[in-house]
Amino acid sequence: MADYSNKLYYQLEQETGIQTGYTRTGSIFLAQTQDRLISLKRINAGLNVIGIPSEIISPKKVAELHHLLNVHDLVGAMHVPEDAVVSSADVALALASAASQNGVQIYDRTSVLHVMVKKGQVTGVETDKGQIECQYFVNCAGQWAYELGLSNEEPVSIPLHACEHFYLLTRPLETPLQSSTPTIVDADGRIYIRNWQGGILSGGFEKNPKPIFTEGKNQLEIQNLQEDWDHFEPLLSSLLRRMPELETLEIMKLVNCPETFTPDMRCIMGESPAVQGYFVLAGMNSAGLSFGGGAGKYLAEWMVHGYPSENVWELDLKRFGALQSSRTFLRHRVMEVMPLMYDLKVPRWDFQTGRQLRTSPLYDRLDAQGARWMEKHGFERPKYFVPPDKDLLALEQSKTFYKPDWFDIVESEVKCCKEAVCVIDMSSFTKFEITSTGDQALEVLQYLFSNDLDVPVGHIVHTGMLNEGGGYENDCSIARLNKRSFFMISPTDQQVHCWAWLKKHMPKDSNLLLEDVTWKYTALNLIGPRAVDVLSELSYAPMTPDHFPSLFCKEMSVGYANGIRVMSMTHTGEPGFMLYIPIEYALHVYNEVMSVGQKYGIRNAGYYALRSLRIEKFFAFWGQDINNLTTPLECGRESRVKLEKGMDFIGRDALLQQKQNGVYKRLTMFILDDHDSDLDLWPWWGEPIYRNGQYVGKTTSSAYSYSLERHVCLGFVHNFSEDTGEEQVVTADFINRGEYEIDIAGYRFQAKAKLYPVASLFTQKRRKDDMELSDLHGK
């Protein structure tokens, strides 16, 4: 988005004749620590491949580019030479002027009272000067977006909160700074510095921010707030350490203005799930100017075509639910978010505020057994379980780009999943039930899903909801409970998005009922070869594959509890069962499973073990590996699509065309070869992939495979023409013939590409054991 904004602002002056103050200065990002430098090297590797020039430079080079900087404490920096500065007011004026020339009417000093909505659709806007009829409304009201969203008859929740943001302006230096002086970002010092009329403009993100307007008594228009020198002092000290010559310089003023932040530091855009035609673009986290051009482009595409040209799920309003709109939550969260803007973010970090909001009934039991938690869509999920003999504090503080301290813990959980039996609490999954009085449920689902759902009662189907382009809007499993009722399991963060998609495409038919039952069921994943023994002992029912085949679902009693939905699947490729338990029975069933499981070596496991298992089995996850621009044919899921199921479904035409023309990208599994997991930097996600020395894509997720004793990455391979750079068809042959490298922070490691999971030695050994076991059963 920033790259597009840069190009847009560059041409604005020529297009409109309005001076925007556009000056190409370049930016220098400083590193005071090795970890910060690694983080910059990772960013640098990513920038180079998308055509943004940047390089890692030495402290000596930094001093040459900006002679006023003190560089003695630096270990390196990243230089982005094409970055620029502009005057924000002038850019706004130029954009408004260009819009007017193209027929846009602008009413200033006009306040919006509320947006008019009829039958869930925008119909107009009520202002203090009268009504305007419209089908689309875009809320880009910045710090007022939250209140404006709530002012409709049908409220739209936009989770953001304002904080005070400080920056100072100085008089020009004795030798005024040249307009081309690079902008400095000193994240370890929490400050940024840029030239301003020959002097300095410098602000930052302090550790103890001041949230404002929590009660909603917002300013009527943008005004500066009171200066607070005591509050700004740490940032000023940091500035003077970086530029000692400023000691004698006269400060003109300290500006304090409101700036809005969101719960996850990413801006908010897209259509409201509650009101059709109501779009949002807000919560820019202090980067409104640099992202504005690109964000505007994506939103315009969204409104015109129904979707943007890139995958922007991470920015989509529907990633949040109503649970993120509590003012107390937002106030606490933005106090954490603002310092995080410049904090060093190592892989797998978690927010500390706004936690323990949605929890499974087993939370306290698992916590007491050493669970360490992460949060997804407000839901607490276990990462791993710390054994009683481990030093906890050391674990929590060891954040690194290298081999993490939880390595051995997760290894023992994975081993237990493969050799005995583990329990993972996966209650956070989104769970919907679709029921009808006649055959309507089946008919609607057949149209919305790509796989054939007309299966016998009790069968489970892996499928996806596709869009017109054949891309995954949602990836899920559906169990047919009876002739007229279906149970759908989707990723945790799909709760709002998936509901909105279903509601939008389902007929307004009173005989159809869609119910969100996420909170009604606790989900336990029993993984491992001994899961069968634990369950058959608890239910007095045979659970072997002959009696309970794969991808089968049936209601059973487990222990004393009745009505447990047991499914023969584990989301990992390992044998085992998912148990969907009505929440009042959750504790009982968990205790019974743990008690009976003792003799089979049962233990708790977390999502890190799950990730390692699913990635080595080449299981792609929605939101990480696949998204609304990925089709089933691009990620090896042809078997989950029934093109000839006897009726049309959304995305079918696109898939037929793709089947005929071939795919332009292909999800591939990479096994790192010359990588030492003890000493080398780890791959996490987003690393560039090279084929025969040419960039072909990025990794989407990765994990250490304990059975292959190697790192495994998943990622997409494209085929760019060497002459024109245009995308060409990717065939299995193209993938198999290449020599691959994965770039981790500027270091390239050799990798083997696979289109199918590797059967490890371990699996072969287990198959042999299984054969012997089934011989015993036979006898």
Side-chain angles (χ1 to χ4, degrees), residues 735-751:
I735 286 177
N736 294 331
R737 279 210 326 264
E739 298 277 324
Y740 292 89
E741 292 168 307
I742 306 283
D743 179 330
I744 307 176
Y747 304 100
R748 292 194 193 178
F749 296 93
Q750 287 173 347

Side-chain angles (χ1 to χ4, degrees), residues 674-691:
D674 55 348
H675 183 272
D676 183 332
S677 59
D678 289 329
L679 302 174
D680 290 325
L681 285 168
W682 273 31
W684 296 96
W685 61 273
E687 289 85 12
I689 302 164
Y690 289 87
R691 176 187 182 273

Side-chain angles (χ1 to χ4, degrees), residues 12-280:
L12 261 186
E13 220 164 284
Q14 295 144 317
E15 273 184 37
T16 61
I18 294 172
Q19 300 263 313
T20 56
Y22 184 96
T23 313
R24 192 159 278 178
T25 58
S27 301
I28 303 173
F29 298 80
L30 309 180
Q32 295 182 27
T33 65
Q34 286 300 335
D35 269 352
R36 175 72 67 181
L37 189 59
I38 291 168
S39 167
L40 290 176
K41 284 176 175 175
R42 286 178 62 85
I43 295 168
N44 181 63
L47 288 180
N48 287 332
V49 295
I50 57 169
I52 299 174
S54 70
E55 60 172 339
I56 297 295
I57 58 174
S58 65
K60 188 175 169 211
K61 179 76 175 160
V62 174
E64 287 169 19
L65 290 167
H66 198 309
H67 57 280
L68 293 179
L69 289 192
N70 168 14
V71 298
H72 76 275
D73 58 347
L74 300 183
V75 295
M78 178 174 78
H79 182 216
V80 186
E82 289 183 5
D83 274 1
V85 294
V86 284
S87 149
S88 48
D90 295 336
V91 164
L93 188 62
L95 288 169
S97 146
S100 300
Q101 287 164 16
N102 286 302
V104 173
Q105 288 174 290
I106 296 175
Y107 297 95
D108 53 6
R109 305 225 164 266
T110 306
S111 53
V112 172
L113 304 178
H114 67 103
V115 177
M116 300 182 297
V117 176
K118 203 172 187 174
K119 292 183 182 166
Q121 169 81 42
V122 168
T123 58
V125 180
E126 181 86 49
T127 76
D128 59 351
K129 294 179 184 166
Q131 290 184 356
I132 301 172
E133 283 184 20
C134 62
Q135 289 161 308
Y136 292 92
F137 174 77
V138 185
N139 179 342
C140 35
Q143 56 169 329
W144 296 278
Y146 177 89
E147 283 175 81
L148 180 55
L150 295 185
S151 71
N152 314 337
E153 296 142 30
E154 187 116 349
V156 173
S157 163
I158 303 167
L160 46 79
H161 196 296
C163 283
E164 298 183 16
H165 180 56
F166 297 87
Y167 60 91
L168 61 76
L169 301 168
T170 73
R171 301 246 177 245
L173 278 76
E174 248 176 68
T175 317
L177 279 183
Q178 289 179 327
S179 61
S180 60
T181 305
T183 298
I184 302 297
V185 176
D186 181 3
D188 295 315
R190 315 197 79 78
I191 53 168
Y192 56 85
I193 310 164
R194 58 165 276 197
N195 166 52
W196 186 75
Q197 300 179 359
I200 292 286
L201 181 160
S202 176
F205 298 103
E206 63 274 24
K207 274 187 173 158
N208 54 334
K210 295 167 73 174
I212 40 172
F213 308 138
T214 303
E215 304 80 15
K217 292 184 187 66
N218 227 322
Q219 305 176 318
L220 289 175
E221 54 185 65
I222 288 275
Q223 288 165 341
N224 287 340
L225 306 162
Q226 273 183 314
E227 39 179 67
D228 182 342
W229 281 103
D230 290 345
H231 189 77
F232 190 71
E233 198 281 325
L235 298 181
L236 180 61
S237 305
S238 189
L239 173 65
L240 294 174
R241 271 197 306 279
R242 191 54 61 218
M243 296 179 74
E245 287 185 35
L246 299 187
E247 282 281 5
T248 54
L249 196 60
E250 188 186 341
I251 291 169
M252 267 173 61
K253 64 175 169 189
L254 179 63
V255 180
N256 173 7
C257 55
E259 181 63 67
T260 48
F261 296 88
T262 62
D264 61 0
M265 290 188 295
R266 297 195 285 263
C267 72
I268 298 174
M269 62 160 69
E271 191 174 14
S272 150
V275 182
Q276 266 190 309
Y278 192 116
F279 283 80
V280 177

Side-chain angles (χ1 to χ4, degrees), residues 278-388:
Y278 192 116
F279 283 80
V280 177
L281 181 50
M284 303 306 284
N285 300 290
S286 195
L289 195 64
S290 76
F291 294 158
K297 168 180 183 267
Y298 290 144
L299 196 75
E301 292 171 344
W302 208 323
M303 292 166 73
V304 174
H305 305 302
Y307 49 87
S309 55
E310 298 278 340
N311 167 46
V312 293
W313 166 245
E314 296 195 325
L315 314 177
D316 193 325
L317 171 64
K318 293 188 276 293
R319 72 186 186 272
F320 295 121
L323 59 108
Q324 281 95 351
S325 60
S326 138
R327 290 309 272 169
T328 312
F329 165 79
L330 287 169
R331 182 184 174 90
H332 290 177
R333 177 55 69 83
V334 295
M335 290 175 74
E336 179 183 14
V337 156
M338 198 169 151
L340 268 171
M341 301 294 292
Y342 275 179
D343 279 350
L344 180 67
K345 288 175 281 295
V346 295
R348 311 262 166 98
W349 58 276
D350 301 293
F351 287 109
Q352 303 302 309
T353 53
R355 294 294 296 268
Q356 295 173 5
L357 185 56
R358 300 171 75 196
T359 58
S360 144
L362 306 176
Y363 180 86
D364 288 345
R365 287 278 286 121
L366 301 178
D367 200 54
Q369 295 176 76
R372 284 292 157 266
W373 301 93
M374 62 196 214
E375 166 258 341
K376 184 93 176 254
H377 203 63
F379 215 116
E380 296 294 331
R381 319 200 299 179
K383 298 194 270 197
Y384 47 78
F385 287 77
V386 179

